[in-house]
Structures are given as structure tokens and as C-alpha cells.
């Protein structure tokens, strides 16, 4: 009789381990409300297409405004980096422009500034992935915009990311010198 509660607890734990469920968590839901309301506003965000094969591109376009209501408790926004926010290395960033200019790294920002962005990512891993734009503000962290589900289907060719170096040599960036990373 004394072992009955223990048996029930064990049965519930075993059932939970045997029957895993899908998790549909979204990163933007984890941000504090004041971050969403007072720091940035993402708009006109489009992520397409929604279904690709490994190695094919997905384009993320939109605008982000650094709000004048930026909280005094955070460092003033001065330097930022626009990035795709995805669950791990399931995509590879191929190209990024901000306000029509190539943006391989960080750029200067200011309160009230509007930044028109475009990113092209390549599908690396098959699966159904949630894709967001994000803006990493120095001293604050990454603020996440709206997301869309993208399904990456397998491809017979697999993933490759060839780039030509200044020397003229072509390498596969996905595997080049991987043992040193």
C-alpha cells in the first residue's frame, strides 16, 4: 500500500519519457514586455519561401526602427548587428544588406533610426525550423522580430557552401578546416 504513490509517480515519469511531444516555443515570447514595447519595432517582415530543399535560399526582408522610447535602464543604442535567429546551425547566412549597403558586420544605429534589411540564408539541415530576424544591440542583447516556420526538405546533393578566395582557390566553407573549429 505504501508503494502505490511511488508506483504512480514512476508510471507518469515513464509515460512522459516514452511519449515526447512537439514543443512550439517561440523565442520572441521569452523577451520581457518592456523590451518588446520600448526598444525596437520590426515591421513589413517577410520570410519566404516557406518550403525549400537543403542548399536552397530563404530570404528575410523587413524594417526595424530603434524607438525613441528606448529605456534609460539600458545602454544607449550605438552599434548593432542584424542577424537571422534560428535554432542552431540549421541555416547558413549567405548575404546581408542594411539600407541597401552590404553589412557583413556591425553598423552604427541611433534612436529613431529605421533600418531596412535583407538577409539570404541557405538551408543546411532538413526539418521544420522557426526563422526570425533579430537585431543585436551592443550592451543590450538580441531583440527578436516576428518569425515564420520554414520547412527544409532533404536534397540528394546535400549541403555545400562554395566560396572563391582572393587567391582564386575555391573551398567549401561548410567543411573547410572543420577540425580546427
Amino acid at each position: 500500500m505504501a508503494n502505490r504513490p511511488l508506483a504512480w509517480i514512476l508510471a507518469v515519469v515513464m509515460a512522459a519519457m516514452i511519449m515526447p511531444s512537439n514543443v512550439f516555443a517561440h523565442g520572441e515570447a521569452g523577451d520581457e514586455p518592456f523590451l518588446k514595447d520600448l526598444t525596437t519595432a520590426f515591421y513589413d517582415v517577410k520570410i519566404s519561401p516557406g518550403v525549400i530543399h537543403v542548399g536552397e535560399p530563404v530570404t528575410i526582408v523587413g524594417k526595424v526602427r530603434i524607438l525613441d522610447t528606448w529605456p534609460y535602464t539600458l545602454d544607449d543604442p550605438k552599434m548593432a548587428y542584424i542577424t537571422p535567429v534560428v535554432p542552431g546551425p540549421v541555416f547558413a547566412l549567405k548575404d546581408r544588406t542594411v539600407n541597401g549597403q552590404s553589412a557583413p558586420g556591425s553598423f552604427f544605429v541611433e534612436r529613431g533610426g529605421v533600418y531596412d534589411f535583407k538577409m539570404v540564408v541557405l538551408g543546411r539541415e532538413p526539418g521544420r525550423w522557426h526563422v526570425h530576424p533579430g537585431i543585436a544591440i551592443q550592451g543590450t542583447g538580441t531583440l527578436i522580430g516576428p518569425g515564420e516556420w520554414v520547412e527544409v526538405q532533404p536534397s540528394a546533393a546535400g549541403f555545400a557552401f562554395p566560396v572563391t578566395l582572393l587567391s582564386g582557390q575555391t573551398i567549401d566553407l561548410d567543411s573547410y578546416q572543420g577540425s580546427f573549429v
Side-chain angles (χ1 to χ4, degrees), residues 157-180:
F159 182 74
F161 196 166
V163 293
T164 303
L165 304 177
L166 290 176
S167 66
Q169 176 188 6
T170 300
I171 62 169
D172 182 3
L173 198 57
D174 191 51
S175 61
Y176 182 73
Q177 296 292 326
S179 62
F180 293 107

Side-chain angles (χ1 to χ4, degrees), residues 27-90:
E28 69 272 25
D31 287 341
E32 295 291 333
F34 86 94
L35 287 176
K36 292 186 250 182
D37 295 340
L38 301 175
T39 56
T40 58
F42 282 87
Y43 58 99
D44 295 340
V45 173
K46 293 178 183 65
I47 301 168
S48 63
V51 178
I52 62 166
H53 287 92
V54 168
E56 293 179 346
V58 173
T59 303
I60 306 165
V61 296
K63 295 178 172 66
V64 60
R65 179 182 174 94
I66 309 295
L67 299 176
D68 292 323
T69 56
W70 190 269
Y72 69 90
T73 56
L74 299 176
D75 291 344
D76 273 342
K78 295 180 181 167
M79 184 80 60
Y81 180 82
I82 290 184
T83 185
V85 178
V86 297
V90 296

